[in-house]
Amino acid sequence: MRRVVREILDSDTADELARRQTGADRQRADGQLDVNSAWTSARKSAAFRPALAALKRMAGDAERCMYCLDSHGTDVEHFWPKTPYPERMFAWTNLLLGCAECGRLKGDRFPLESGAPLLVDPSAEDPWEHLDFDSDTGNLMARVDAASGAPSRKGAATVSLLQLDAREALSNVYKRSFRRLHAEVDSALDAARGIDAQSVAALLDRLQAADDHGLLAWCFSERGARHPTFDRLRRELPDAWAAGVARFASTAA
């Protein structure tokens, strides 16, 4: 999972979403709101296309699911599910791009704690504040706080809800993605006789192109530095490590 930068909608599209929400709120107050009908009508309208296009750009060239980063993002996902929370149905900040598998697992389930979501919102926060990666299994798991030894409650809820530690196909592609990354680093280390700024930039570009699953933020963190390959990079090519931290590192310490 990686942080998604939310685009600002053009005024016409933003106004259309606001108009749809106002209409839905009015129907709800009158007891006449059919959530699925209201959403289907909006989703099929030409006025909604710029919002969908923005979500696809936010998801990257491969238009991957914003939760698992593996499967293709097939449709619009409501972070706060639209049926229990119709007041957020057309809120731009509530719309993500999701895959069929994550959508099936999530459904209308939405764990809260003191009214706040326990599911990670990749468009509003750094997922690596709550998640960790096991490079041996390819699983995502809850991040454990170094001081307290307690796992992140938000991370644990997200992993449980989306089964990020129990989807074998997902774990396999995360492992392959990580192998590509450390193979690039191993190759650079084995070839290095000193490394200039141009070579550092070229290495980081290759890593970015190989990172299908948002793992570089983990790799260039204190957690990733415990892996032998990235520890070696940190020790032997400190300039390359520092440049990678500056470019990729998570905001989570």
Side-chain angles (χ1 to χ4, degrees):
M1 192 179 288
R2 63 163 57 94
R3 178 69 186 266
V4 176
V5 179
R6 186 169 293 280
E7 290 191 10
I8 298 174
L9 291 180
D10 66 88
S11 59
D12 287 344
T13 305
D15 288 347
E16 173 65 13
L17 290 179
R19 185 186 70 78
R20 292 273 183 175
Q21 188 63 62
T22 298
D25 292 343
R26 185 180 302 114
Q27 288 181 326
R28 183 186 179 204
D30 293 340
Q32 298 178 346
L33 177 62
D34 183 326
V35 170
N36 289 328
S37 177
W39 175 251
T40 299
S41 174
R43 179 66 181 80
K44 291 181 177 180
S45 69
F48 190 82
R49 290 174 191 164
L52 179 60
L55 289 172
K56 290 180 176 180
R57 290 192 298 270
M58 287 162 53
D61 292 342
E63 297 178 7
R64 295 177 184 270
C65 171
M66 292 176 180
Y67 291 128
C68 71
L69 274 183
D70 181 48
S71 300
H72 181 67
T74 54
D75 208 348
V76 178
E77 148 69 12
H78 290 83
F79 179 68
W80 291 74
K82 66 182 182 298
T83 298
Y85 302 101
E87 70 276 12
R88 300 174 186 263
M89 182 163 42
F90 297 105
W92 171 234
T93 54
N94 194 46
L95 304 183
L96 301 172
L97 196 69
C99 70
E101 179 71 357
C102 287
R104 180 187 66 80
L105 291 168
K106 178 171 176 275
D108 284 340
R109 295 187 297 155
F110 195 66
L112 299 171
E113 185 173 71
S114 301
L118 277 176
L119 181 67
V120 171
D121 180 354
S123 73
E125 57 197 321
D126 180 356
W128 294 108
E129 291 182 357
H130 306 286
L131 299 175
D132 206 344
F133 173 66
D134 185 328
S135 60
D136 292 326
T137 66
N139 288 334
L140 293 181
M141 53 194 179
R143 182 181 180 182
V144 175
D145 182 80
S148 68
S152 161
R153 290 179 60 77
K154 181 172 280 193
T158 299
V159 169
S160 176
L161 185 65
L162 300 176
Q163 297 183 17
L164 299 178
D165 60 349
R167 293 159 63 177
E168 184 176 359
L170 183 62
S171 299
N172 286 337
V173 294
Y174 268 78
K175 279 194 291 188
R176 286 199 295 270
S177 188
F178 182 72
R179 286 173 188 152
R180 288 195 299 272
L181 296 176
H182 78 70
E184 285 284 359
V185 173
D186 280 337
S187 178
L189 286 165
D190 292 343
R193 297 293 185 272
I195 189 166
D196 58 22
Q198 185 175 0
S199 298
V200 167
L203 170 61
L204 298 187
D205 286 345
R206 292 196 302 274
L207 289 173
Q208 187 165 5
D211 184 20
D212 289 335
H213 296 95
L215 291 174
L216 284 171
W218 180 88
C219 294
F220 284 93
S221 70
E222 85 287 352
R223 290 166 284 167
R226 299 185 192 118
H227 186 277
T229 293
F230 286 90
D231 178 54
R232 186 181 167 207
L233 177 68
R234 180 181 57 82
R235 290 183 290 104
E236 296 184 16
L237 296 176
D239 290 346
W241 174 261
V245 169
R247 183 162 168 178
F248 302 123
S250 164
T251 59

